[in-house]
Amino acid sequence: MEPWLIRIANYLLAQSWQIAVLTLVVACASFLLRNRSAHVRYLLWLIVLAKALMPPLYSIPVAVLPQRAVPEYIPAPPVAERMTAEHGTSETAMAEVPRPSSVQPQAAPSRVVPTKLARHDTRAWLAIGWLAGVVALSFYYLLNALRTQIWLQRRRKALPSDSARDIESFFMANYVRRMPHVWLLERINQPFVWGLVRGGIYLPTRLLDGKNAKFQPSLLGHELSHVVRLDAMVNSLQVIAQTIFWFHPFVWWANRKIRAEREKCCDEMTIARFKAPPEEYGEAIVETLGAKYEQARPVPSLAVAGQVRNIEERIKTMLEPGKKFYKRPTLMAATFALLLAVCAVPTTMVLTVRAATQPPTGAADAERVFGNPINLGSPVNSFANEFGPRISADGLELYFNSYRPGGLGQADLWVTTRKTKADPWGEPVNLGPTVNSPSGEGAPCISADGLSLYFSSERPGGYGGSDLWVTTRQTRTAPWGKPINLGPT
């Protein structure tokens, strides 16, 4: 499966549980603040929306997962020691020890790798299912929005001149600097706001007759509050978040809470800013709610009546004796919400392995699981000691130390090659007297371009004990040159 599918699945899984936790925290805070201004609760629920839309900018590892059991590595005794214990030290006994047969590379054991692959395959399929849901829901929302926009453009009308002057005077009296578009619409019995960012106000024709004239300032003030607060833009972001996390019930629940608190915020703003009497405003909502069931087409979410189950709570709040209403959230509430958003929104908690008191040998990388070792067999290995391997960047040359016969006295540097990575290793070749010496060499390290070989040596000409030396060659097929001591630095 593609790695980007697995990355998508990992992101969604990590983000989903954090959204769930944040939603529960905000729900508890909203319950404790149920008697406070709706502006405060609205800001708290907006943090959940921001969390769903904003990818994390930094991660905080949380060590809570149990330490993975890693078997301790116990090195086998050197070949020479085993042969001494089993056969003695004579050359005859050494010759009697059979050389290991050539071992073909085997596949990694099924108990290690397939488990990880199966988990990755599952996450990749989850990402594919998520993409299918996003495409389907996006098509549904776009189709509904397009149908609504076409329907509005065909049926909306300009306001009569006298009504347009009255509404413009109402806007100017309430210090509205940027006038929103106001349209008249038939077959709709309550006003609403429709748009992507600010939106335009659509008024029912019945609101302009003499019978409903007293409700006009209250209802118009409610929809104007939606425009001033940019609720149309927030509603668009809600649709995007709901599309991305279509599978997450907490995102749908948070969106319902945002819409409910948004209507209460507009109620407060209408009473506090546009001086609408609470009793008259409540009566206007009830009258609009009754007319709602006579209309021919459902209206968008930014309508004054809103959801029926919230009407009673809204009216009870408006008519509460001594209730104080606010035009906007207080500075303290906005600061608190901002600090909470800064801490919660750009952060992701990553569950990591809990470190043991003393990590077992070989557990430096707890996420890496190796398969069983495969002996390189003959001719790479021999009855003598081989150690210190270092492979070239292209994987076609393997340098190592060996005490095998054919050297210059002590451990020498040898190299085995192969034509491709699929081919077996060839017969090792001693690097010869130019590189090796009777004193012993070790720790070969080949450069990435294959033209420099660093190693240690106890040969004369150093600074006492083992020194670091380097030998170079002009091309990959040229012989190695005379080693040079790296000097006192």
Side-chain angles (χ1 to χ4, degrees):
M1 291 293 180
E2 293 293 336
W4 61 272
L5 289 175
I6 298 174
R7 286 197 295 268
I8 289 176
N10 291 338
Y11 165 76
L12 292 174
L13 292 174
Q15 194 79 333
S16 293
W17 74 263
Q18 294 173 67
I19 290 175
V21 172
L22 182 60
T23 303
L24 293 176
V25 172
V26 171
C28 293
S30 298
F31 177 78
L32 297 176
L33 299 172
R34 61 188 181 278
N35 295 324
R36 299 289 182 177
S37 172
H39 293 292
V40 180
R41 300 189 298 273
Y42 180 74
L43 289 178
L44 292 178
W45 283 110
L46 286 185
I47 297 176
V48 179
L49 176 62
K51 180 68 174 177
L53 292 174
M54 185 175 181
L57 299 180
Y58 54 88
S59 301
I60 298 179
V62 181
V64 297
L65 300 179
Q67 176 71 35
R68 176 181 297 170
V70 179
E72 184 176 0
Y73 170 68
I74 302 177
V79 178
E81 294 181 11
R82 296 201 306 269
M83 291 187 297
T84 302
E86 298 175 5
H87 304 283
T89 57
S90 65
E91 295 183 1
T92 305
M94 296 281 282
E96 292 176 355
V97 179
R99 294 194 178 190
S101 59
S102 178
V103 179
Q104 295 297 328
Q106 300 176 0
S110 59
R111 62 182 175 85
V112 177
V113 179
T115 302
K116 210 166 190 178
L117 292 178
R119 182 169 71 250
H120 285 176
D121 288 344
T122 301
R123 295 194 177 189
W125 282 113
L126 287 176
I128 292 175
W130 170 80
L131 286 172
V134 169
V135 172
L137 200 58
S138 300
F139 180 77
Y140 171 78
Y141 284 140
L142 289 174
L143 181 61
N144 279 351
L146 183 60
R147 290 176 58 187
T148 301
Q149 182 65 28
I150 294 175
W151 185 82
L152 292 176
Q153 288 181 347
R154 289 179 178 177
R155 296 184 177 273
R156 66 189 184 188
K157 299 178 182 179
L159 291 171
S161 56
D162 53 344
S163 298
R165 285 194 300 269
D166 293 341
I167 292 177
E168 185 176 353
S169 300
F170 175 79
F171 289 163
M172 295 178 63
N174 289 279
Y175 305 101
V176 178
R177 299 178 181 179
R178 185 179 175 184
M179 302 294 177
H181 294 289
V182 182
W183 307 91
L184 202 60
L185 196 63
E186 296 180 352
R187 302 178 65 189
I188 289 294
N189 290 325
Q190 64 170 315
F192 63 88
V193 171
W194 172 261
L196 291 178
V197 181
R198 281 171 54 88
I201 300 176
Y202 290 82
L203 301 178
T205 54
R206 70 176 188 86
L207 195 62
L208 300 183
D209 58 27
K211 179 181 177 181
N212 298 284
K214 66 175 182 176
F215 300 141
Q216 182 175 337
S218 298
L219 299 181
L220 191 59
H222 182 96
E223 300 308 323
L224 185 58
S225 299
H226 280 308
V227 175
V228 172
R229 290 162 36 87
L230 299 179
D231 286 340
M233 180 182 66
V234 176
N235 191 70
S236 301
L237 295 177
Q238 288 181 255
V239 173
I240 296 175
Q242 200 160 284
T243 302
I244 297 174
F245 292 93
W246 56 266
F247 59 90
H248 205 313
F250 283 88
V251 174
W252 292 72
W253 180 39
N255 272 345
R256 287 196 298 269
K257 288 293 186 180
I258 291 175
R259 294 186 178 99
E261 297 297 343
R262 179 165 57 211
E263 296 302 324
K264 296 175 185 178
C265 290
C266 289
D267 293 341
E268 285 198 37
M269 193 171 182
T270 302
I271 296 173
R273 178 174 180 173
F274 302 115
K275 311 301 180 183
E279 296 82 1
E280 182 178 306
Y281 180 57
E283 183 182 355
I285 293 179
V286 173
E287 177 68 21
T288 303
L289 180 64
K292 174 182 177 181
Y293 295 98
E294 303 173 3
Q295 62 194 28
R297 185 182 179 89
V299 298
S301 60
L302 300 182
V304 67
Q307 297 180 347
V308 178
R309 60 176 176 268
N310 297 326
I311 295 296
E312 181 180 358
E313 183 180 354
R314 291 169 59 189
I315 294 179
K316 185 186 297 185
T317 302
M318 284 185 286
L319 300 181
E320 183 179 342
K323 177 71 175 178
K324 188 175 182 180
F325 300 96
Y326 296 89
K327 300 179 182 179
R328 61 183 67 87
T330 61
L331 180 60
M332 181 179 297
T335 303
F336 172 75
L338 179 61
L339 292 176
L340 183 58
V342 169
C343 295
V345 172
T347 311
T348 177
M349 298 288 184
V350 181
L351 302 184
T352 59
V353 174
R354 183 172 59 249
T357 304
Q358 291 183 351
T361 304
D365 188 354
E367 292 299 321
R368 178 173 294 171
V369 179
F370 291 102
N372 288 336
I374 299 174
N375 195 295
L376 295 187
S378 178
V380 177
N381 290 308
S382 70
F383 59 85
N385 280 349
E386 280 76 34
F387 57 95
R390 183 59 60 94
I391 197 167
S392 61
D394 58 8
L396 303 183
E397 293 180 331
L398 179 64
Y399 293 83
F400 62 95
N401 287 100
S402 179
Y403 280 95
R404 67 179 65 202
L408 299 183
Q410 307 233 6
D412 279 3
L413 300 183
W414 296 72
V415 62
T416 176
T417 60
R418 57 185 178 181
K419 293 183 179 180
T420 66
K421 293 182 179 181
D423 294 327
W425 291 104
E427 184 75 28
V429 177
N430 191 292
L431 296 191
T434 303
V435 176
N436 291 310
S437 72
S439 301
E441 283 68 40
C445 182
I446 184 70
S447 62
D449 59 7
L451 302 182
S452 298
L453 180 66
Y454 295 82
F455 61 96
S456 66
S457 179
E458 298 177 354
R459 69 184 65 197
Y463 292 83
S466 294
D467 277 10
L468 299 182
W469 299 71
V470 60
T471 176
T472 59
R473 58 185 177 182
Q474 297 296 323
T475 64
R476 297 291 293 270
T477 58
W480 290 106
K482 184 178 179 180
I484 300 175
N485 191 291
L486 294 188
T489 304

